Amino acid sequence: MRLQELENLLMEASEECDAIIVSGGSNRDQNDITAQVVRSLGKVYTEGISFAPDKRTTIGKIGTVLVIGLPGHPSATFMVLTLVVVHLLRAMKGAPCQRFYKKEARLSDHLCSNPQSDRYIRVRLIGDMASPVFGKSGLIHMLYHSDGMVRVPAGHQGYREGEWIEVMTW
């Protein structure tokens, strides 16, 4: 889709919708047309969210309409929908924020932190053990082979093997 086409589409949608979710059109450079269009029609609050996988996410407004530009990366899209979008949409409805289903589990392997951003590591649950599912973040099979995720806060020392952790399950 070209910039002008997206601009026309978002203008029209902003007159009819309470929220707009755009899939694709995001990139780490000048090809990020979603952020360009939202900025030209309204306000961009953020063009990135500080968690891994750190794929481009745009959050802004056109008038009073919330606009969310999802990353095109499948796993990153799932993470943004799970960690951000569901909560924003529920808040718009006046509903309490969705609670994550959580389970305590022992970690089967060490998890390192990132000094600049939170990490969300997918894990597979087997009994009371949580085993990290590592691989390229865009691979859908990683979601299929995982039961939830563990948040490792930015700057945190990480978690050690055998440590009890909180798993957000899906």
Side-chain angles (χ1 to χ4, degrees):
M1 179 173 284
R2 290 189 206 114
L3 192 124
Q4 189 61 53
E5 291 172 314
L6 183 59
E7 187 171 299
N8 293 341
L9 190 62
L10 290 184
M11 281 282 289
E12 186 178 317
S14 70
E15 295 169 4
E16 300 176 18
C17 303
D18 296 321
I20 302 167
I21 298 175
V22 179
S23 179
S26 63
N27 213 331
R28 289 182 184 261
D29 58 19
Q30 69 274 10
N31 294 324
D32 186 349
I33 65 170
T34 301
Q36 286 180 43
V37 170
V38 173
R39 188 175 290 103
S40 74
L41 299 174
K43 178 174 176 115
V44 171
Y45 295 112
T46 186
E47 293 180 53
I49 299 176
S50 183
F51 63 78
D54 61 346
K55 304 302 178 196
R56 187 68 151 223
T57 301
T58 300
I59 299 176
K61 267 189 166 180
I62 298 173
T64 60
V65 177
L66 174 67
V67 181
I68 300 168
L70 297 174
H73 198 271
S75 274
T77 297
F78 178 81
M79 301 294 270
V80 170
L81 288 169
T82 302
L83 296 170
V84 179
V85 175
V86 168
H87 302 287
L88 289 173
L89 295 177
R90 287 185 59 83
M92 287 177 65
K93 288 177 33 181
C97 284
Q98 175 182 337
R99 293 185 180 18
F100 288 108
Y101 293 100
K102 297 177 182 176
K103 179 178 178 162
E104 296 289 317
R106 285 183 315 148
L107 192 57
S108 70
D109 198 357
H110 180 76
L111 292 179
C112 298
S113 67
N114 180 327
Q116 282 86 33
S117 62
D118 290 356
R119 292 181 70 204
Y120 288 85
I121 309 296
R122 287 167 293 276
V123 295
R124 179 167 199 97
L125 293 170
I126 302 168
D128 70 346
M129 295 296 291
S131 298
V133 178
F134 294 116
K136 289 192 172 197
S137 59
L139 300 177
I140 280 293
H141 86 274
M142 289 183 58
L143 292 173
Y144 174 77
H145 291 292
S146 61
D147 300 302
M149 62 188 153
V150 174
R151 176 178 172 256
V152 183
H156 186 268
Q157 73 273 9
Y159 297 112
R160 296 178 191 189
E161 180 181 343
E163 191 171 341
W164 284 91
I165 53 161
E166 185 174 79
V167 177
M168 295 177 271
T169 61
W170 43 68

Tab-separated table of all heavy atoms in Angstrom, residues 57-93:
chain	number	residue	atom	x	y	z
A	57	THR	N	6.335	-0.750	16.500
A	57	THR	CA	4.935	-0.621	16.875
A	57	THR	C	4.625	0.861	16.982
A	57	THR	O	5.337	1.594	17.664
A	57	THR	CB	4.650	-1.292	18.235
A	57	THR	OG1	5.003	-2.673	18.143
A	57	THR	CG2	3.197	-1.166	18.630
A	58	THR	N	3.570	1.308	16.322
A	58	THR	CA	3.170	2.710	16.376
A	58	THR	C	1.893	2.827	17.195
A	58	THR	O	0.946	2.061	16.977
A	58	THR	CB	2.907	3.264	14.959
A	58	THR	OG1	4.099	3.142	14.187
A	58	THR	CG2	2.472	4.718	14.998
A	59	ILE	N	1.865	3.776	18.130
A	59	ILE	CA	0.651	4.073	18.876
A	59	ILE	C	0.434	5.573	18.778
A	59	ILE	O	1.337	6.359	19.060
A	59	ILE	CB	0.742	3.632	20.349
A	59	ILE	CG1	0.964	2.112	20.428
A	59	ILE	CG2	-0.519	4.046	21.110
A	59	ILE	CD1	1.166	1.577	21.820
A	60	GLY	N	-0.760	5.950	18.339
A	60	GLY	CA	-1.071	7.363	18.189
A	60	GLY	C	-2.564	7.597	18.163
A	60	GLY	O	-3.360	6.714	18.494
A	61	LYS	N	-2.926	8.810	17.759
A	61	LYS	CA	-4.335	9.197	17.679
A	61	LYS	C	-4.560	10.059	16.450
A	61	LYS	O	-3.710	10.870	16.084
A	61	LYS	CB	-4.744	10.017	18.903
A	61	LYS	CG	-5.321	9.236	20.022
A	61	LYS	CD	-5.896	10.161	21.072
A	61	LYS	CE	-6.767	9.359	22.011
A	61	LYS	NZ	-7.351	10.206	23.040
A	62	ILE	N	-5.708	9.879	15.844
A	62	ILE	CA	-6.197	10.782	14.812
A	62	ILE	C	-7.496	11.332	15.386
A	62	ILE	O	-8.469	10.589	15.541
A	62	ILE	CB	-6.436	10.060	13.468
A	62	ILE	CG1	-5.135	9.477	12.930
A	62	ILE	CG2	-7.061	11.024	12.460
A	62	ILE	CD1	-5.300	8.607	11.689
A	63	GLY	N	-7.489	12.606	15.755
A	63	GLY	CA	-8.632	13.166	16.479
A	63	GLY	C	-8.740	12.467	17.817
A	63	GLY	O	-7.795	12.466	18.602
A	64	THR	N	-9.870	11.800	18.045
A	64	THR	CA	-10.050	11.051	19.293
A	64	THR	C	-9.903	9.551	19.088
A	64	THR	O	-10.146	8.772	19.999
A	64	THR	CB	-11.447	11.328	19.880
A	64	THR	OG1	-12.436	10.915	18.929
A	64	THR	CG2	-11.626	12.801	20.214
A	65	VAL	N	-9.503	9.151	17.890
A	65	VAL	CA	-9.446	7.730	17.533
A	65	VAL	C	-8.039	7.165	17.776
A	65	VAL	O	-7.061	7.675	17.234
A	65	VAL	CB	-9.855	7.533	16.055
A	65	VAL	CG1	-9.725	6.073	15.646
A	65	VAL	CG2	-11.270	8.029	15.829
A	66	LEU	N	-7.978	6.112	18.582
A	66	LEU	CA	-6.738	5.410	18.844
A	66	LEU	C	-6.290	4.689	17.580
A	66	LEU	O	-7.097	4.041	16.912
A	66	LEU	CB	-6.948	4.378	19.965
A	66	LEU	CG	-5.790	3.443	20.282
A	66	LEU	CD1	-4.619	4.219	20.881
A	66	LEU	CD2	-6.252	2.348	21.220
A	67	VAL	N	-5.003	4.819	17.235
A	67	VAL	CA	-4.438	4.115	16.079
A	67	VAL	C	-3.232	3.312	16.550
A	67	VAL	O	-2.324	3.860	17.189
A	67	VAL	CB	-3.999	5.085	14.960
A	67	VAL	CG1	-3.448	4.306	13.768
A	67	VAL	CG2	-5.145	5.986	14.531
A	68	ILE	N	-3.263	2.028	16.235
A	68	ILE	CA	-2.156	1.151	16.592
A	68	ILE	C	-1.631	0.526	15.310
A	68	ILE	O	-2.386	-0.112	14.568
A	68	ILE	CB	-2.594	0.051	17.575
A	68	ILE	CG1	-3.128	0.685	18.856
A	68	ILE	CG2	-1.426	-0.900	17.877
A	68	ILE	CD1	-3.834	-0.270	19.775
A	69	GLY	N	-0.352	0.724	15.053
A	69	GLY	CA	0.311	0.105	13.914
A	69	GLY	C	1.107	-1.085	14.397
A	69	GLY	O	2.098	-0.922	15.112
A	70	LEU	N	0.649	-2.266	14.063
A	70	LEU	CA	1.311	-3.498	14.493
A	70	LEU	C	2.556	-3.780	13.671
A	70	LEU	O	2.612	-3.429	12.492
A	70	LEU	CB	0.354	-4.687	14.345
A	70	LEU	CG	-0.908	-4.663	15.185
A	70	LEU	CD1	-1.792	-5.838	14.804
A	70	LEU	CD2	-0.565	-4.705	16.665
A	71	PRO	N	3.519	-4.464	14.269
A	71	PRO	CA	4.664	-4.921	13.476
A	71	PRO	C	4.194	-6.030	12.540
A	71	PRO	O	3.213	-6.718	12.821
A	71	PRO	CB	5.637	-5.449	14.525
A	71	PRO	CG	4.804	-5.761	15.719
A	71	PRO	CD	3.618	-4.848	15.673
A	72	GLY	N	4.884	-6.226	11.448
A	72	GLY	CA	4.520	-7.271	10.515
A	72	GLY	C	5.070	-8.635	10.908
A	72	GLY	O	4.687	-9.655	10.356
A	73	HIS	N	5.933	-8.668	11.866
A	73	HIS	CA	6.612	-9.852	12.375
A	73	HIS	C	5.601	-10.672	13.190
A	73	HIS	O	5.078	-10.170	14.181
A	73	HIS	CB	7.719	-9.303	13.260
A	73	HIS	CG	8.804	-10.220	13.574
A	73	HIS	ND1	8.767	-11.056	14.649
A	73	HIS	CD2	9.988	-10.414	12.969
A	73	HIS	CE1	9.887	-11.721	14.721
A	73	HIS	NE2	10.647	-11.350	13.698
A	74	PRO	N	5.245	-11.896	12.808
A	74	PRO	CA	4.164	-12.635	13.460
A	74	PRO	C	4.277	-12.774	14.978
A	74	PRO	O	3.311	-12.511	15.695
A	74	PRO	CB	4.204	-14.017	12.790
A	74	PRO	CG	4.860	-13.781	11.485
A	74	PRO	CD	5.840	-12.662	11.703
A	75	SER	N	5.426	-13.169	15.482
A	75	SER	CA	5.561	-13.315	16.936
A	75	SER	C	5.494	-11.964	17.636
A	75	SER	O	4.888	-11.836	18.701
A	75	SER	CB	6.881	-13.999	17.298
A	75	SER	OG	6.725	-15.379	17.265
A	76	ALA	N	6.108	-10.945	17.045
A	76	ALA	CA	6.052	-9.610	17.640
A	76	ALA	C	4.616	-9.091	17.643
A	76	ALA	O	4.179	-8.461	18.605
A	76	ALA	CB	6.971	-8.654	16.885
A	77	THR	N	3.866	-9.372	16.581
A	77	THR	CA	2.466	-8.971	16.526
A	77	THR	C	1.691	-9.615	17.652
A	77	THR	O	0.918	-8.959	18.349
A	77	THR	CB	1.847	-9.352	15.164
A	77	THR	OG1	2.525	-8.626	14.143
A	77	THR	CG2	0.366	-9.042	15.114
A	78	PHE	N	1.896	-10.903	17.861
A	78	PHE	CA	1.222	-11.611	18.937
A	78	PHE	C	1.564	-10.990	20.292
A	78	PHE	O	0.680	-10.783	21.127
A	78	PHE	CB	1.608	-13.096	18.929
A	78	PHE	CG	0.977	-13.883	20.042
A	78	PHE	CD1	-0.328	-14.332	19.936
A	78	PHE	CD2	1.688	-14.168	21.197
A	78	PHE	CE1	-0.919	-15.050	20.966
A	78	PHE	CE2	1.114	-14.884	22.228
A	78	PHE	CZ	-0.198	-15.332	22.112
A	79	MET	N	2.835	-10.682	20.502
A	79	MET	CA	3.262	-10.094	21.771
A	79	MET	C	2.621	-8.724	21.977
A	79	MET	O	2.141	-8.418	23.069
A	79	MET	CB	4.782	-9.977	21.822
A	79	MET	CG	5.514	-11.292	21.672
A	79	MET	SD	5.251	-12.411	23.031
A	79	MET	CE	6.590	-11.913	24.077
A	80	VAL	N	2.599	-7.878	20.953
A	80	VAL	CA	2.006	-6.544	21.073
A	80	VAL	C	0.505	-6.664	21.341
A	80	VAL	O	-0.043	-5.958	22.195
A	80	VAL	CB	2.286	-5.688	19.817
A	80	VAL	CG1	1.485	-4.402	19.829
A	80	VAL	CG2	3.774	-5.382	19.707
A	81	LEU	N	-0.172	-7.552	20.641
A	81	LEU	CA	-1.602	-7.755	20.885
A	81	LEU	C	-1.851	-8.222	22.319
A	81	LEU	O	-2.742	-7.715	22.996
A	81	LEU	CB	-2.180	-8.765	19.897
A	81	LEU	CG	-2.323	-8.281	18.459
A	81	LEU	CD1	-2.650	-9.446	17.526
A	81	LEU	CD2	-3.376	-7.195	18.345
A	82	THR	N	-1.053	-9.172	22.784
A	82	THR	CA	-1.224	-9.738	24.123
A	82	THR	C	-0.857	-8.764	25.234
A	82	THR	O	-1.563	-8.653	26.234
A	82	THR	CB	-0.351	-11.012	24.263
A	82	THR	OG1	-0.731	-11.941	23.249
A	82	THR	CG2	-0.518	-11.653	25.620
A	83	LEU	N	0.255	-8.052	25.064
A	83	LEU	CA	0.763	-7.206	26.144
A	83	LEU	C	0.219	-5.783	26.132
A	83	LEU	O	0.255	-5.105	27.156
A	83	LEU	CB	2.298	-7.155	26.081
A	83	LEU	CG	3.003	-8.477	26.306
A	83	LEU	CD1	4.483	-8.356	25.980
A	83	LEU	CD2	2.804	-8.953	27.736
A	84	VAL	N	-0.270	-5.301	24.985
A	84	VAL	CA	-0.655	-3.896	24.882
A	84	VAL	C	-2.080	-3.696	24.368
A	84	VAL	O	-2.917	-3.101	25.042
A	84	VAL	CB	0.332	-3.128	23.961
A	84	VAL	CG1	-0.077	-1.678	23.816
A	84	VAL	CG2	1.755	-3.242	24.473
A	85	VAL	N	-2.357	-4.178	23.173
A	85	VAL	CA	-3.599	-3.828	22.484
A	85	VAL	C	-4.840	-4.277	23.243
A	85	VAL	O	-5.792	-3.505	23.396
A	85	VAL	CB	-3.596	-4.388	21.044
A	85	VAL	CG1	-4.931	-4.140	20.356
A	85	VAL	CG2	-2.460	-3.764	20.244
A	86	VAL	N	-4.854	-5.497	23.745
A	86	VAL	CA	-6.018	-5.990	24.474
A	86	VAL	C	-6.340	-5.066	25.644
A	86	VAL	O	-7.504	-4.728	25.882
A	86	VAL	CB	-5.773	-7.442	24.960
A	86	VAL	CG1	-6.825	-7.879	25.944
A	86	VAL	CG2	-5.730	-8.382	23.777
A	87	HIS	N	-5.328	-4.608	26.347
A	87	HIS	CA	-5.542	-3.747	27.505
A	87	HIS	C	-6.052	-2.364	27.091
A	87	HIS	O	-6.924	-1.792	27.749
A	87	HIS	CB	-4.248	-3.621	28.312
A	87	HIS	CG	-3.742	-4.952	28.771
A	87	HIS	ND1	-4.336	-5.678	29.773
A	87	HIS	CD2	-2.716	-5.710	28.314
A	87	HIS	CE1	-3.694	-6.818	29.943
A	87	HIS	NE2	-2.707	-6.857	29.065
A	88	LEU	N	-5.507	-1.814	26.012
A	88	LEU	CA	-5.982	-0.509	25.527
A	88	LEU	C	-7.443	-0.579	25.105
A	88	LEU	O	-8.241	0.313	25.433
A	88	LEU	CB	-5.115	-0.023	24.362
A	88	LEU	CG	-3.701	0.417	24.683
A	88	LEU	CD1	-2.924	0.709	23.400
A	88	LEU	CD2	-3.706	1.639	25.589
A	89	LEU	N	-7.822	-1.606	24.379
A	89	LEU	CA	-9.201	-1.733	23.918
A	89	LEU	C	-10.159	-1.945	25.084
A	89	LEU	O	-11.248	-1.367	25.115
A	89	LEU	CB	-9.329	-2.860	22.891
A	89	LEU	CG	-8.586	-2.627	21.575
A	89	LEU	CD1	-8.721	-3.849	20.659
A	89	LEU	CD2	-9.056	-1.371	20.873
A	90	ARG	N	-9.761	-2.729	26.054
A	90	ARG	CA	-10.615	-2.931	27.240
A	90	ARG	C	-10.764	-1.631	28.022
A	90	ARG	O	-11.846	-1.313	28.500
A	90	ARG	CB	-10.064	-4.043	28.118
A	90	ARG	CG	-10.271	-5.422	27.493
A	90	ARG	CD	-9.832	-6.545	28.403
A	90	ARG	NE	-10.509	-6.577	29.687
A	90	ARG	CZ	-11.706	-7.124	29.908
A	90	ARG	NH1	-12.361	-7.672	28.916
A	90	ARG	NH2	-12.230	-7.130	31.109
A	91	ALA	N	-9.686	-0.862	28.148
A	91	ALA	CA	-9.757	0.423	28.852
A	91	ALA	C	-10.700	1.377	28.119
A	91	ALA	O	-11.462	2.114	28.744
A	91	ALA	CB	-8.367	1.034	28.983
A	92	MET	N	-10.671	1.363	26.790
A	92	MET	CA	-11.572	2.210	26.006
A	92	MET	C	-13.032	1.844	26.268
A	92	MET	O	-13.908	2.706	26.234
A	92	MET	CB	-11.289	2.064	24.505
A	92	MET	CG	-10.017	2.729	24.063
A	92	MET	SD	-9.690	2.437	22.314
A	92	MET	CE	-11.080	3.297	21.561
A	93	LYS	N	-13.294	0.575	26.536
A	93	LYS	CA	-14.656	0.122	26.815
A	93	LYS	C	-15.055	0.406	28.260
A	93	LYS	O	-16.198	0.187	28.638
A	93	LYS	CB	-14.762	-1.382	26.571
A	93	LYS	CG	-14.714	-1.770	25.121
A	93	LYS	CD	-14.750	-3.275	24.885
A	93	LYS	CE	-15.541	-4.067	25.852
A	93	LYS	NZ	-15.542	-5.500	25.616
